[in-house]
Amino acid sequence: MRGHLVTVVLAALSVVLIIFLVPVLILIRRDADSRVALTAMQQAAVLVPLAHAVPPPNLSTHAEHGFAVSIVTSDGRVLGVPTSPSPSIQTALRSCATSTGRVADGVEVLVPVRTGPGCDSVVRVQASDETTGAESALLTVLSLTLSAAAVLVAVLLAERLARGLLRSVADLAAGADRMAAGDLSARVTPAGPAEIRRVGDQLNHLAIRVDHLLDERSQRSADLTHRLRTPLTALRLDIDAIPDSPATQRLLADYDTLSKAVTEVIRTARRAGEIPSRQRCELTEVARERIAFWDVLAEDTGRRIGQDLPAEPIPVQASRADLEATFDALLSNVFAHTGHGVPLWVTVAAARRGGALVTVDDAGPGFPDLDVVRRGRSSTASTGLGLDIARQTATESGGNLRLGRSPRGGARVQLHLGRPVDDPVPRWSVVSGH
């Protein structure tokens, strides 16, 4: 922006100076011609009374440096500096009138010498272009120097103005970046022109308003979720009233999982609007645990969960709770949208530049629309939030989520989870398939 502003100022000033300098230089040249012609006229006026008394060799002593003096008689004789009887000289002899004009190599002044009723000779004084140029050189150099100084001053002022504007805009952008990153406590100190100060004030008001709305939403979400505590407590009492058996142990395990999920929802709602923490977690262990959890339901529905998990740990930038919620969302989607007996496969592999690739394939009908990842969108009775949970986890870790068709003809969900920020980028990594 600074360069653009300086360029615009420089271009505008250059146009103004060109428009101004051209007529000024023309006027300087004309003024120099006029002053030289006046000097030549004075020289000729001095020689007119002496035209017949001054010997030809002495004519040069009556002329200043840079002026050529000649006397041309009516019979064609030329005294002094040789010159040809030009039409202008013939006209001056006939009309006995003084004249000034520009010739090929300078300025010419003709003053006739009267003798009786007519003119028998003409005093010619010529100033060369060098003489005229010397007269105008000083003013020309002065004009060009002043123009260059004006350009320099304008560039310096434009640079200073641009620096001030850029400082204000940079502060504004820095504050906006902090707010965009989730730091809604960031504020901009309005500075600079009135328009930029107004934008800064509005940006501060926007941050305050968004912070207030997020706080209201998180409080409301947390309060609504907290109401689940009462039916959960009643459910636990009912389970405790059942005689101990394998089914009771499974109900207790399901209750513990549901209770942890509700607790995590409340905690997540409370910290809505905060900057996501840079946590790291070992992905392989979480994947193995969640597959084992869902494998029980898979047996009840006649499914088989194939898994291809690496033996070595793969660290990713995500919390354990987010990874568990992501695997639960991806696997529950398969159970919810495919029929009994439809198998699925889970693959976890290290990514080439760190992080991991999680792929969930099934042999069901596939996605009717690849835009189902849009939050809240679903073609069935579900909430449509499952894939968005996975997408948000991947995005916050620095990765992404992609949908496609699996080799078995069903749906494929591929999740790229970013590496922890403190881990170096690996030179290479083998991505396993299935």
Side-chain angles (χ1 to χ4, degrees), residues 11 29 35 40 42 74 118 144 150 155 170 174 180-181 261 263 265 270 279 328 330 370 417 431:
R29 181 69 179 184
R35 285 186 283 107
Q42 293 172 349
S74 57
L144 294 176
V155 169
T263 301
V265 169
R270 291 292 186 187
Q279 302 183 48
D328 289 342
L330 295 179
L370 294 182
L417 299 171
V431 180

Side-chain angles (χ1 to χ4, degrees), residues 184-340:
L184 296 180
S185 64
R187 294 295 180 268
V188 175
T189 302
E195 293 79 4
I196 295 181
R197 293 198 303 271
R198 182 179 179 184
V199 173
D201 290 334
Q202 294 300 323
L203 188 62
N204 290 335
H205 291 323
L206 177 62
I208 295 172
R209 179 59 176 165
V210 171
D211 190 22
H212 179 67
L213 291 176
L214 287 177
D215 184 65
E216 284 186 350
R217 189 188 69 174
S218 63
Q219 293 293 337
R220 189 176 295 111
S221 299
D223 292 342
L224 292 175
T225 310
H226 191 71
R227 296 180 185 178
L228 294 174
R229 291 296 188 187
T230 299
L232 279 177
T233 302
L235 179 61
R236 179 56 187 265
L237 294 175
D238 291 339
I239 294 175
D240 290 340
I242 300 175
D244 190 17
S245 66
T248 304
Q249 296 302 319
R250 289 176 55 183
L251 287 175
L252 287 174
D254 292 342
Y255 169 82
D256 291 338
T257 301
L258 181 59
S259 180
K260 291 179 181 179
V262 172
T263 301
E264 180 62 25
V265 169
I266 295 175
R267 185 164 57 250
T268 302
R270 291 292 186 187
R271 66 170 187 260
E274 297 179 359
I275 301 176
S277 58
R278 295 182 173 179
Q279 302 183 48
R280 60 180 294 158
C281 182
E282 200 281 297
L283 176 64
T284 307
E285 178 185 352
V286 176
R288 187 173 289 108
E289 290 179 359
R290 300 320 297 165
I291 292 175
F293 173 84
W294 285 93
D295 194 54
V296 177
L297 181 59
E299 291 180 359
D300 293 341
T301 57
R303 303 176 188 267
R304 181 179 63 86
I305 301 180
Q307 53 182 300
D308 185 0
L309 307 180
E312 69 279 0
I314 303 178
V316 294
Q317 182 173 304
S319 66
R320 186 180 184 88
D322 288 341
L323 290 179
E324 290 177 348
T326 297
F327 274 100
D328 289 342
L330 295 179
L331 296 178
S332 65
N333 269 348
V334 178
F335 281 78
H337 298 290
T338 61
H340 285 217

Side-chain angles (χ1 to χ4, degrees), residues 2-350:
R2 181 187 304 177
H4 289 302
L5 183 57
V6 173
T7 301
V8 169
V9 172
L10 185 60
L13 185 60
S14 298
V15 172
V16 172
L17 286 178
I18 289 174
I19 296 174
F20 170 75
L21 277 178
V22 170
V24 166
L25 293 178
I26 293 175
L27 290 176
I28 290 174
R29 181 69 179 184
R30 290 183 178 179
D31 180 69
D33 288 347
S34 299
R35 285 186 283 107
V36 169
L38 179 61
T39 303
M41 185 72 72
Q42 293 172 349
Q43 293 294 311
V46 171
L47 291 174
V48 166
L50 307 175
H52 298 288
V54 177
N58 295 331
L59 286 177
S60 60
T61 61
H62 292 272
E64 293 185 1
H65 178 69
F67 291 86
V69 179
S70 305
I71 297 177
V72 182
T73 63
S74 57
D75 57 3
R77 289 183 301 117
V78 178
L79 306 179
V81 178
T83 183
S84 60
S86 62
S88 59
I89 293 176
Q90 298 298 329
T91 301
L93 286 171
R94 288 194 304 270
S95 63
C96 289
T98 302
S99 63
T100 302
R102 170 162 284 279
V103 294
D105 54 353
V107 177
E108 177 187 64
V109 173
L110 300 176
V111 178
V113 179
R114 295 178 179 272
T115 55
C119 300
D120 62 352
S121 60
V122 172
V123 177
R124 178 181 182 271
V125 180
Q126 178 183 345
S128 63
D129 285 332
E130 289 77 6
T131 304
T132 306
E135 289 287 334
S136 63
L138 180 61
L139 290 178
T140 301
V141 171
L142 181 60
S143 300
L144 294 176
T145 302
L146 290 177
S147 300
V151 170
L152 180 60
V153 171
V155 169
L156 293 177
L157 291 177
E159 175 73 15
R160 182 173 182 180
L161 176 62
R163 190 182 300 113
L165 287 175
L166 286 178
R167 188 182 301 111
S168 303
V169 174
D171 294 341
L172 196 64
D177 288 341
R178 291 179 58 191
M179 296 175 191
D183 184 8
L184 296 180
S185 64
R187 294 295 180 268
V188 175
T189 302
E195 293 79 4
I196 295 181
R197 293 198 303 271
R198 182 179 179 184
V199 173
D201 290 334
Q202 294 300 323
L203 188 62
N204 290 335
H205 291 323
L206 177 62
I208 295 172
R209 179 59 176 165
V210 171
D211 190 22
H212 179 67
L213 291 176
L214 287 177
D215 184 65
E216 284 186 350
R217 189 188 69 174
S218 63
Q219 293 293 337
R220 189 176 295 111
S221 299
D223 292 342
L224 292 175
T225 310
H226 191 71
R227 296 180 185 178
L228 294 174
R229 291 296 188 187
T230 299
L232 279 177
T233 302
L235 179 61
R236 179 56 187 265
L237 294 175
D238 291 339
I239 294 175
D240 290 340
I242 300 175
D244 190 17
S245 66
T248 304
Q249 296 302 319
R250 289 176 55 183
L251 287 175
L252 287 174
D254 292 342
Y255 169 82
D256 291 338
T257 301
L258 181 59
S259 180
K260 291 179 181 179
V262 172
T263 301
E264 180 62 25
V265 169
I266 295 175
R267 185 164 57 250
T268 302
R270 291 292 186 187
R271 66 170 187 260
E274 297 179 359
I275 301 176
S277 58
R278 295 182 173 179
Q279 302 183 48
R280 60 180 294 158
C281 182
E282 200 281 297
L283 176 64
T284 307
E285 178 185 352
V286 176
R288 187 173 289 108
E289 290 179 359
R290 300 320 297 165
I291 292 175
F293 173 84
W294 285 93
D295 194 54
V296 177
L297 181 59
E299 291 180 359
D300 293 341
T301 57
R303 303 176 188 267
R304 181 179 63 86
I305 301 180
Q307 53 182 300
D308 185 0
L309 307 180
E312 69 279 0
I314 303 178
V316 294
Q317 182 173 304
S319 66
R320 186 180 184 88
D322 288 341
L323 290 179
E324 290 177 348
T326 297
F327 274 100
D328 289 342
L330 295 179
L331 296 178
S332 65
N333 269 348
V334 178
F335 281 78
H337 298 290
T338 61
H340 285 217
V342 175
L344 64 150
W345 298 264
V346 179
T347 303
V348 176

